[in-house]
Amino acid sequence: MEETNIPKVYDPQSFEKKWYQYWEENKLFHAEVDETKKPFSIVMPPPNVTGQLHMGHAMDNTLQDILIRFRRMQGYNTLWMPGTDHAGIATQAKVDAQLREQGVSRYDIGREKFLEHAWAWKEKYGNRIKYQIRTLGSSCDWDRERFTMDEGCSHAVREVFVQLYKKGLIYQGKRITNWCPHCNTALSDIEVEHQNEQGHLYHLKYQVEGEDRFVEIATTRPETMFGDTGVAVHPDDERYSDLVGKTLILPIVGRRIPLFADSYVDPQFGTGAVKVTPAHDPNDFDMGARHNLEQIVVINNDGTMAENTGKYAGLDRYECRKQLIEDLKQQGYLISIEEHEHAVGHCSRCSTTVEPLVSKQWFVKMESLAKPAAEAVKSGKIKFVPERFSKIYCNWLDNIRDWCISRQLWWGHRIPAWYCDDCGATIVENEDVTVCPHCGSKHVHQDEDVLDTWFSSGLWPFETMGWPEQTAELKQFYPTSVLVTGYDIIFFWVARMVMMGLEFGKDIPFKHVFIHGLVRDSQGRKMSKSLGNGIDPVEVIEKYGADTLRFMLITGNTPGNDMRFYWERVESARNFANKLWNASRFMLMNLEGFDKTFVPEASDYTLADKWILSRYAKTAISITENLEKFELGEAGRSLYDFIWNEFCDWYIELSKARLYDKENVRPRKVAQYVLGYVLEHTLRLLHPFMPFITEEIWQHIPHEGKSIMVADWPTGEEAKLDDASEVEMTTIMETIKAIRNMRAEVNAAPSKKTEVILHLSDESLTDVFAKNSGYLETLASAKNVTILAKDDAKPENAMTAVVNGVEIYLPLAGLIDVEKETARLNKELATLDKEVSRLDKKLSNAGFIAKAPADIVEKEKEKLKGYEEKREAVKQRLAYLATL
């Protein structure tokens, strides 16, 4: 066969885009329904169209792609469904900001025009995201790409809303919700991030009506007192037993409010008496409902004070707090202010402090949906990897509250509810309503709000496959095989997909939930725009190639744990790609006379051949097992070790003698066969991790088929396992390493061959070394390998080492130039003496010891100890040389 070599330098830019285009054009990512094949399916967690992908997405996609490519090669009918999410509140915030830069707001241009801007944004960033996903090498089925607001998904969303409403699981109610004054919308509990903040606890006194007595209350939010409609104490709190049922006068406002008992109150907190503001606190809301208290809203949606707060109306809530505390102080109602650390809720999108407000919203009743979703995990029907995350999931579902699903936004799925202006009816239907079915009036208008983004993405696994139609795709690919996602959206997304899947898809949405951690920067910080420490995956790919980035992300990864991004690790993965590239070039340069029909006899194989075939078979078996149990990082690491250490550093070196010997045709053919077999099959094992370099090399070496992507996954390699050969070869390799170390110790010139004398404690090794002494000559610069008989005298004046029952002797005569080595060591000793003396002086200086930080002093002591040990070793070496 003619040499068909690859370029000298590994340059991923020269072939990565070419192969992706080839795979796509040849429809190698596309899956048709085929009931004769076993299905394996994944739905891609749809990235938000708010910007571009970050390193976490790159890891998420890499993990999914490894699983998909692995199963595809195993012969499964694989579907990887790609798509993007409209990300309601997040995208609207971006478009709002864009409009502000143009000097207009969404209210200036109206809903229709605003939505045009939002769709244009989606187009621009949706395309950027698709470019990034392709650049990474993701083998998803682009023919089936979906968007959470495409026609099919929108139809599914309406269908689900209507069905839940008609079952009585969706209702409208006035409830306390988390309100973001900046985004101007309600948020669900899990869109609120709580952070501990240093604040204040204000102690105020409320007068008992008609008496010269006061009740002291403590609050962190005095500005809500305008909405107080009661004060509560614990029923068993004896301090207040004679006051329960009396009326208090609200300071500043002068309103009469009851003092009542409720077991919710913690008598240990503050003074044991708490102000109750039902319109501005979820717990107060519940207490207010129990005691029929009025709800008075005193803070507007934008975080300013409402009209009913008198002179404070229109002030920002925090400005109001400042002025109110001053007024309370002047009028004698402020007792004290103490420092107080407490958890404060912030909007997860814009970080504004969230305000609990009573407003009319749409809710989903969660109890009947949450129970089966928790059971699916508790029974093992859905398995979390790692298993520990199932506890977090179940705890959340066991303590779930009703889900507020309405958002005061324009971008998203508009709620399919209409109101009749004439008879007041609420109509919820799949199709748009123009006439009231109750009174025939045409004066109907649609609800202005949209649904929470997670409502539509909760349907993702089945809506993308054509539900509510009962499609062939649903039948073959649902439930999906695995969901790959980060631990940060277990509540937001995973739990909701399980609830919706069981309710509407009539089955769990996936069998495994494979959880990965976050990609952090090298200091362990979360990557974010505000810190400026985010790294664009495409930037890494343009510099180092997609395979390098993928391999770096995977080998630093253990399921469920965060990983740190280091550029040094990217370099290390690139070096690995280089190593593989050079090994493949070596093979291609030695293919002259290659006969693809040739298969060696068992007797043709050398010990090195049997060893590498056995090591390859073990690697193939362990990688398959690790991929099946989601230990992708472990699989990547074992491939790295096998390719770098065993195949490149040992086997290729050991095969050179036969490959270069063109006179002995058969041994050369055997070496070509083993080299070709192991390389081609190892490329298949590596393909899911590094798809581009494996395709490029595979296309140049002898192979069958049109793409490595659809080559068979290596199986049935058990016949190649050969433990005896592995043990023998390991002993020889350990011997070679020991000889190399001894030579390095005395600085023997590489060209200087060494006589090697072996004394073997185990006689069975005699045959092994007799047959394979050539390996010592090739890789340890040995000459005249002598094997001593059991009773032979052991040589004197020789360096010695012992490994695996082998005593190794290197006679020093002729190995080193004693005079030259003595001169070198004396020079080294002088340098060490100087360093020891310098550090001794420094550490005896009382001024240095007194002023220098303790860790610096400790470091200097460590250095001194190191130099003293080195000096001792050099002295011993010199003493030894003096005896020669």
Side-chain angles (χ1 to χ4, degrees):
M1 175 176 171
E2 290 303 305
E3 176 194 314
T4 54
N5 213 352
I6 50 180
K8 263 188 185 170
V9 180
Y10 163 60
D11 171 23
Q13 307 309 333
S14 67
F15 58 78
E16 288 194 347
K17 283 189 173 66
K18 167 187 84 175
W19 286 120
Y20 198 89
Q21 202 178 338
Y22 173 82
W23 295 327
E24 223 181 313
E25 283 170 359
N26 283 277
K27 298 272 184 211
L28 297 182
F29 304 155
H30 182 60
E32 283 295 340
V33 172
D34 179 352
E35 288 179 10
T36 64
K37 279 176 153 186
K38 211 172 161 191
F40 183 87
S41 56
I42 299 180
V43 288
M44 179 185 290
N48 294 345
V49 291
T50 44
Q52 50 187 27
L53 301 191
H54 52 65
M55 217 34 96
H57 291 112
M59 177 150 80
D60 201 67
N61 270 276
T62 299
L63 295 168
Q64 291 171 81
D65 197 39
I66 290 169
L67 293 172
I68 279 287
R69 287 181 183 269
F70 164 57
R71 296 298 187 185
R72 191 185 284 122
M73 291 173 81
Q74 279 190 322
Y76 285 80
N77 192 20
T78 51
L79 166 63
W80 184 14
M81 179 87 73
T84 46
D85 195 318
H86 67 280
I89 192 169
T91 304
Q92 177 149 325
K94 296 275 189 188
V95 179
D96 274 341
Q98 194 181 48
L99 289 171
R100 274 199 301 278
E101 282 170 18
Q102 296 164 23
V104 289
S105 82
R106 69 174 182 271
Y107 302 107
D108 299 331
I109 61 173
R111 190 168 192 143
E112 291 301 307
K113 211 79 191 121
F114 175 81
L115 290 176
E116 283 175 26
H117 281 274
W119 279 103
W121 176 281
K122 178 260 167 188
E123 217 42 49
K124 179 181 174 183
Y125 285 97
N127 288 335
R128 167 76 181 160
I129 286 165
K130 283 185 266 185
Y131 169 75
Q132 286 181 299
I133 293 171
R134 284 180 161 93
T135 307
L136 197 64
S138 308
S139 61
C140 46
D141 190 343
W142 291 110
D143 295 344
R144 296 181 180 277
E145 186 200 346
R146 301 302 298 267
F147 174 56
T148 49
M149 272 168 59
D150 66 28
E151 205 179 316
C153 291
S154 299
H155 175 51
V157 166
R158 270 203 179 184
E159 182 65 36
V160 165
F161 187 96
V162 172
Q163 283 194 36
L164 288 173
Y165 180 78
K166 292 190 171 167
K167 283 179 179 172
L169 292 175
I170 281 185
Y171 65 92
Q172 249 183 322
K174 266 195 141 185
R175 285 293 190 85
I176 281 269
T177 52
N178 306 294
W179 185 273
C180 174
H182 178 265
C183 298
N184 220 350
T185 179
L187 305 171
S188 68
D189 292 345
I190 50 181
E191 288 170 297
V192 177
E193 288 174 354
H194 289 91
Q195 294 155 16
N196 277 353
E197 285 184 5
Q198 201 54 46
H200 296 96
L201 198 56
Y202 301 90
H203 289 258
L204 311 175
K205 57 183 191 182
Y206 288 20
Q207 187 171 5
V208 181
E209 187 181 35
E211 297 182 33
D212 193 19
R213 283 206 290 171
F214 293 88
V215 172
E216 184 182 336
I217 65 102
T219 178
T220 57
R221 301 168 68 225
E223 67 279 5
T224 63
M225 67 180 281
F226 299 105
D228 286 2
T229 51
V231 166
V233 295
H234 193 275
D236 303 332
D237 194 334
E238 288 173 7
R239 291 173 293 179
Y240 301 105
S241 55
D242 64 324
L243 287 172
V244 172
K246 296 211 173 200
T247 300
L248 306 179
I249 304 299
L250 186 59
I252 305 273
V253 183
R255 186 163 58 243
R256 299 170 75 246
I257 59 173
L259 187 141
F260 60 91
D262 191 292
S263 52
Y264 165 74
V265 179
D266 175 6
Q268 305 302 314
F269 178 75
T271 62
V274 295
K275 63 195 257 335
V276 181
T277 322
H280 291 281
D281 180 281
N283 300 310
D284 292 8
F285 180 87
D286 294 341
M287 269 197 283
R290 288 195 288 275
H291 299 275
N292 292 319
L293 300 183
E294 190 187 352
Q295 296 168 1
I296 303 174
V297 176
V298 296
I299 297 178
N300 296 321
N301 290 354
D302 62 357
T304 59
M305 302 307 292
E307 278 303 309
N308 56 7
T309 59
K311 70 170 195 173
Y312 308 99
L315 287 179
D316 173 77
R317 52 191 166 155
Y318 298 119
E319 183 51 40
C320 167
R321 182 184 295 178
K322 245 194 280 183
Q323 290 191 24
L324 175 62
I325 288 299
E326 200 45 50
D327 292 347
L328 286 163
K329 191 174 166 186
Q330 297 295 332
Q331 294 180 34
Y333 293 114
L334 177 67
I335 298 170
S336 64
I337 303 173
E338 62 177 287
E339 294 287 317
H340 176 64
E341 190 182 301
H342 61 137
V344 177
H346 296 264
C347 171
S348 62
R349 297 293 171 194
C350 70
S351 300
T352 302
T353 301
V354 165
E355 192 62 55
L357 287 184
V358 160
S359 56
K360 196 176 185 187
Q361 302 288 349
W362 288 91
F363 294 86
V364 179
K365 284 185 188 168
M366 297 303 274
E367 199 181 343
S368 65
L369 295 169
K371 277 202 169 96
E375 191 46 41
V377 169
K378 288 172 185 170
S379 68
K381 208 172 170 199
I382 295 175
K383 288 186 168 64
F384 273 82
V385 180
E387 203 276 324
R388 67 177 188 270
F389 287 101
S390 60
K391 288 186 191 67
I392 296 170
Y393 166 94
C394 290
N395 282 346
W396 186 68
L397 284 174
D398 291 345
N399 300 293
I400 201 163
R401 287 162 53 165
D402 285 359
W403 172 19
C404 172
I405 54 168
S406 42
R407 297 289 178 272
Q408 290 62 53
L409 305 170
W410 288 354
W411 172 245
H413 294 103
R414 199 157 164 190
I415 289 175
W418 286 261
Y419 307 106
C420 177
D421 301 334
D422 292 332
C423 74
T426 299
I427 309 121
V428 171
E429 284 301 340
N430 262 326
E431 302 303 323
D432 287 3
V433 174
T434 51
V435 177
C436 173
H438 302 283
C439 71
S441 165
K442 289 189 176 176
H443 299 134
V444 290
H445 67 277
Q446 188 176 356
D447 196 307
E448 290 289 317
D449 291 352
V450 300
L451 287 161
D452 176 11
T453 308
W454 300 101
F455 189 92
S456 51
S457 43
L459 321 178
W460 191 244
F462 57 88
E463 70 179 353
T464 49
M465 293 189 198
W467 187 92
E469 304 305 318
Q470 290 308 305
T471 61
E473 282 78 3
L474 266 173
K475 195 177 169 197
Q476 176 154 50
F477 296 115
Y478 185 88
T480 62
S481 310
V482 58
L483 174 78
V484 179
T485 191
Y487 59 66
D488 49 340
I489 54 173
I490 290 174
F491 314 140
F492 284 104
W493 194 42
V494 180
R496 288 180 177 156
M497 282 190 285
V498 179
M499 288 188 254
M500 295 299 201
L502 289 166
E503 182 69 20
F504 296 99
K506 300 301 172 213
D507 204 342
I508 53 170
F510 25 72
K511 294 162 194 155
H512 285 95
V513 180
F514 177 25
I515 298 285
H516 60 77
L518 307 177
V519 181
R520 297 183 177 273
D521 73 4
S522 57
Q523 295 170 47
R525 300 172 305 173
K526 198 170 174 178
M527 290 188 178
S528 71
K529 279 198 182 74
S530 56
L531 287 173
N533 62 347
I535 295 165
D536 179 357
V538 172
E539 178 199 329
V540 183
I541 291 168
E542 282 168 357
K543 195 171 174 191
Y544 292 97
D547 287 327
T548 293
L549 174 62
R550 288 167 64 115
F551 202 70
M552 186 282 291
L553 287 170
I554 196 67
T555 46
N557 187 269
T558 50
N561 294 329
D562 292 350
M563 69 165 287
R564 293 187 181 194
F565 181 97
Y566 295 101
W567 283 104
E568 296 81 355
R569 291 192 50 246
V570 179
E571 297 272 357
S572 159
R574 201 261 316 269
N575 293 344
F576 173 63
N578 267 330
K579 187 91 168 170
L580 176 67
W581 187 260
N582 291 334
S584 307
R585 280 194 81 243
F586 168 79
M587 180 193 149
L588 286 163
M589 287 161 72
N590 287 284
L591 277 182
E592 192 186 318
F594 180 79
D595 173 4
K596 65 177 177 187
T597 62
F598 173 77
V599 178
E601 302 286 329
S603 57
D604 286 322
Y605 291 122
T606 62
L607 176 62
D609 294 336
K610 288 187 272 192
W611 166 77
I612 197 69
L613 287 166
S614 181
R615 293 300 307 138
Y616 151 73
K618 264 195 188 142
T619 303
I621 291 163
S622 91
I623 283 162
T624 307
E625 283 170 1
N626 277 319
L627 288 178
E628 282 176 344
K629 58 182 194 217
F630 302 102
E631 291 289 351
L632 279 59
E634 200 42 56
R637 273 190 293 278
S638 57
L639 262 169
Y640 177 96
D641 289 342
F642 173 74
I643 291 170
W644 188 296
N645 301 326
E646 296 175 330
F647 185 63
C648 296
D649 284 357
W650 287 98
Y651 184 73
I652 284 182
E653 293 306 314
L654 292 169
S655 68
K656 282 179 177 175
R658 284 179 294 163
L659 290 168
Y660 296 163
D661 181 359
K662 294 189 181 174
E663 303 301 311
N664 290 311
V665 176
R666 192 167 181 90
R668 187 164 184 272
K669 277 186 162 186
V670 175
Q672 284 178 332
Y673 171 84
V674 175
L675 200 59
Y677 184 90
V678 174
L679 178 62
E680 196 269 344
H681 282 71
T682 304
L683 288 172
R684 292 195 222 174
L685 295 173
L686 184 63
H687 175 72
F689 301 85
M690 301 177 90
F692 295 110
I693 189 173
T694 50
E695 183 75 271
E696 177 70 9
I697 295 169
W698 191 82
Q699 294 285 356
H700 281 85
I701 65 171
H703 67 271
E704 298 290 330
K706 66 176 176 182
S707 168
I708 192 170
M709 210 182 113
V710 285
D712 290 340
W713 183 257
T715 54
E717 300 287 30
E718 285 73 11
K720 295 183 180 65
L721 296 175
D722 186 341
D723 288 340
S725 294
E726 285 195 40
V727 169
E728 291 174 4
M729 190 68 204
T730 301
T731 303
I732 286 177
M733 286 156 68
E734 291 300 322
T735 304
I736 290 169
K737 281 188 223 166
I739 297 169
R740 285 172 173 173
N741 289 341
M742 287 191 279
R743 287 174 59 88
E745 217 177 297
V746 294
N747 289 317
S751 57
K752 205 162 225 167
K753 298 279 183 188
T754 320
E755 192 183 336
V756 174
I757 299 162
L758 303 176
H759 184 269
L760 309 171
S761 59
D762 185 344
E763 280 182 17
S764 65
L765 290 172
T766 306
D767 196 37
V768 175
F769 277 94
K771 280 182 182 166
N772 299 293
S773 60
Y775 294 157
L776 274 61
E777 289 164 12
T778 308
L779 295 185
S781 302
K783 63 174 183 185
N784 307 337
V785 177
T786 308
I787 298 169
L788 297 176
K790 201 173 183 185
D791 303 324
D792 286 354
K794 294 169 187 178
E796 289 179 15
N797 243 351
M799 293 188 81
T800 61
V802 180
V803 295
N804 295 8
V806 181
E807 288 173 33
I808 308 153
Y809 298 90
L810 300 191
L812 282 164
L815 177 63
I816 51 172
D817 182 326
V818 176
E819 209 174 297
K820 206 172 166 186
E821 183 64 2
T822 304
R824 187 189 72 80
L825 287 169
N826 276 323
K827 199 175 170 189
E828 193 179 329
L829 186 62
T831 308
L832 289 166
D833 280 339
K834 216 182 268 175
E835 284 301 317
V836 168
S837 160
R838 182 182 67 80
L839 285 166
D840 257 337
K841 213 181 217 164
K842 196 174 187 179
L843 289 164
S844 335
N845 180 340
F848 170 72
I849 298 292
K851 285 180 194 164
D855 61 325
I856 298 286
V857 174
E858 208 40 56
K859 271 185 191 156
E860 294 297 274
K861 283 181 179 171
E862 283 296 310
K863 265 193 220 168
L864 176 61
K865 191 181 168 198
Y867 285 135
E868 285 174 339
E869 283 170 0
K870 270 188 194 162
R871 183 170 69 170
E872 193 48 43
V874 170
K875 281 178 177 173
Q876 283 178 10
R877 196 91 204 92
L878 282 163
Y880 178 63
L881 287 173
T883 66
L884 298 179

